């Protein structure tokens, strides 16, 4: 089984330095209410682009009362230069009471996080998996509806459809990792391998499922003539995946 260190990629030292610089005034504002701060999400994966992608930071406090929130509002650094940080501020009880409601998100954070400062409270969370399949299906169906609406709205604007596909890459990768967990597997660290494994398990066309991921990884604008056929191909595989998930029974 893969360890947490094998599931994540260590960011460059410049990224860590920038993150700790961003965190310094935040921690000072929280003072004794501060518990921990982490890097999470795509910054710990292969292919992260510091110039274009946002850096997710989870900051955990003891209470984060309204007074603390007001202090944070004044302390959070604002800059137009990369890297751009996207913080999530939560207090410990909020997290403990949401583990069963957001199992996908907390399993993602638990498997891929890097402690910046403080005590590692995340590692000790016991995330219930009883609602995991239901949340996965809920998320997939919601994204499927949005993909279909985007096709109707933007079929004459291939560039818009390409942006929709690229924008879907990260969130679908998260759901694909969840589907592997539902089958009792530990997701590989590489998103391409995750998608190929999902296609294999659910008897789908991997080339169709990989389209958003490959578009985003390329960083380039695709051939306009290929965008609509690729969009259709991905949408067909998502439809098939939802049918398969609807029949999936987990312990």
């Amino acid at each position: 089984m893969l360890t947490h260190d094998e599931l994540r990629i260590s960011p460059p030292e410049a990224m860590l330095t920038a993150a700790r610089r961003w965190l310094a005034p935040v921690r000072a504002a929280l003072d004794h209410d501060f518990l921990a701060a982490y890097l999470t999400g795509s910054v710990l994966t292969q292919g992260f682009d510091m110039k274009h992608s946002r850096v997710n930071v989870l900051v955990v406090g003891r209470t984060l009362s309204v007074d603390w929130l007001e202090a944070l509002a004044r302390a959070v650094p604002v800059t137009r230069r990369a890297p751009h940080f996207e913080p999530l501020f939560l207090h410990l009880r909020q997290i403990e009471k949401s583990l069963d409601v957001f199992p996908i998100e907390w399993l993602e954070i638990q498997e891929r996080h890097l402690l910046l400062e403080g005590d590692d409270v995340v590692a000790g969370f016991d995330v219930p998996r009883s609602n995991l399949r239901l949340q996965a299906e809920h998320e997939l169906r919601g994204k499927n509806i949005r993909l279909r609406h985007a096709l109707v709205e933007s079929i004459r604007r291939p560039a818009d459809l390409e942006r929709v596909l690229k924008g879907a890459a990260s969130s679908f990768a998260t759901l694909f990792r969840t589907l592997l967990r539902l089958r009792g597997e530990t997701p590989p660290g590489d998103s391409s391998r995750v998608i190929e494994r999902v296609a294999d398990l659910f008897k789908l066309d991997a080339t169709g499922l990989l389209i958003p991921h490959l578009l985003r990884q390329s960083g380039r604008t695709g051939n306009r003539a290929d965008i609509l056929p690729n969009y259709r191909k991905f949408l067909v595989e998502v439809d098939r995946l939802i049918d398969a998930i609807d029949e999936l029974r987990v312990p």
Side-chain angles (χ1 to χ4, degrees), residues 43-173:
V43 69
L44 303 177
T45 61
Q46 292 176 341
F48 177 78
D49 185 348
M50 189 167 69
K51 292 183 179 179
H52 300 103
S53 298
R54 292 189 171 273
V55 181
N56 298 111
V57 184
L58 170 64
V59 178
V60 183
R62 299 187 197 299
T63 64
L64 285 188
S65 66
V66 174
D67 289 340
W68 291 120
L69 292 178
E70 291 180 357
L72 278 173
R74 292 187 289 270
V76 172
V78 178
T79 178
R80 294 183 179 180
R81 298 178 60 185
H84 302 289
F85 293 93
E86 190 165 284
L88 175 62
F89 300 106
L90 296 172
H91 61 71
L92 191 57
R93 181 169 171 77
Q94 268 184 309
I95 296 174
E96 291 170 344
K97 293 299 183 180
S98 69
L99 295 176
D100 59 339
V101 181
F102 302 117
I104 290 177
E105 290 80 0
W106 287 117
L107 284 171
E108 282 284 305
I109 290 173
Q110 198 167 50
E111 289 186 359
R112 188 179 285 113
H113 67 269
L114 179 64
L115 182 67
L116 285 173
E117 288 190 37
D119 300 321
D120 192 357
V121 295
V122 165
F125 292 157
D126 182 14
V127 183
R129 302 195 176 213
S130 53
N131 295 337
L132 196 57
R133 193 207 67 81
L134 184 60
Q135 189 189 2
E137 183 176 349
H138 178 274
E139 295 286 341
L140 276 169
R141 289 188 180 278
K143 294 180 189 307
N144 186 39
I145 290 170
R146 289 191 287 275
L147 284 171
R148 286 172 167 270
H149 283 201
L151 178 61
V152 173
E153 293 171 356
S154 305
I155 195 168
R156 295 180 180 84
R157 300 189 299 276
D160 288 354
L161 290 179
E162 184 177 44
R163 279 192 289 272
V164 171
L165 286 173
K166 288 181 176 179
S170 179
S171 59
F172 269 96

Side-chain angles (χ1 to χ4, degrees), residues 24-41:
V26 171
R27 176 163 189 174
L30 286 177
D31 194 20
H32 62 269
D33 203 61
F34 176 86
L35 278 179
Y38 305 86
L39 290 181
T40 67

Side-chain angles (χ1 to χ4, degrees), residues 105-244:
E105 290 80 0
W106 287 117
L107 284 171
E108 282 284 305
I109 290 173
Q110 198 167 50
E111 289 186 359
R112 188 179 285 113
H113 67 269
L114 179 64
L115 182 67
L116 285 173
E117 288 190 37
D119 300 321
D120 192 357
V121 295
V122 165
F125 292 157
D126 182 14
V127 183
R129 302 195 176 213
S130 53
N131 295 337
L132 196 57
R133 193 207 67 81
L134 184 60
Q135 189 189 2
E137 183 176 349
H138 178 274
E139 295 286 341
L140 276 169
R141 289 188 180 278
K143 294 180 189 307
N144 186 39
I145 290 170
R146 289 191 287 275
L147 284 171
R148 286 172 167 270
H149 283 201
L151 178 61
V152 173
E153 293 171 356
S154 305
I155 195 168
R156 295 180 180 84
R157 300 189 299 276
D160 288 354
L161 290 179
E162 184 177 44
R163 279 192 289 272
V164 171
L165 286 173
K166 288 181 176 179
S170 179
S171 59
F172 269 96
T174 297
L175 289 173
F176 294 152
R177 289 191 291 271
T178 299
L179 296 181
L180 294 189
R181 294 186 191 107
L182 283 170
R183 296 295 295 258
E185 299 186 14
T186 299
D190 179 69
S191 292
S192 295
R193 289 172 57 203
V194 170
I195 297 167
E196 289 166 354
R197 181 59 181 153
V198 167
D200 182 51
L201 283 172
F202 295 98
K203 298 179 172 54
L204 306 173
D205 178 7
T207 61
L209 281 188
L210 279 163
I211 285 168
H213 172 71
L214 295 178
L215 277 173
R216 181 163 182 165
Q217 286 292 98
S218 72
R220 300 188 299 271
T221 300
N223 186 327
R224 180 166 292 190
D226 293 336
I227 294 173
L228 181 56
N230 282 338
Y231 196 100
R232 287 170 53 92
K233 192 173 183 180
F234 178 64
L235 191 53
V236 165
E237 295 310 309
V238 172
D239 284 341
R240 293 178 63 204
L241 180 59
I242 289 174
D243 288 341

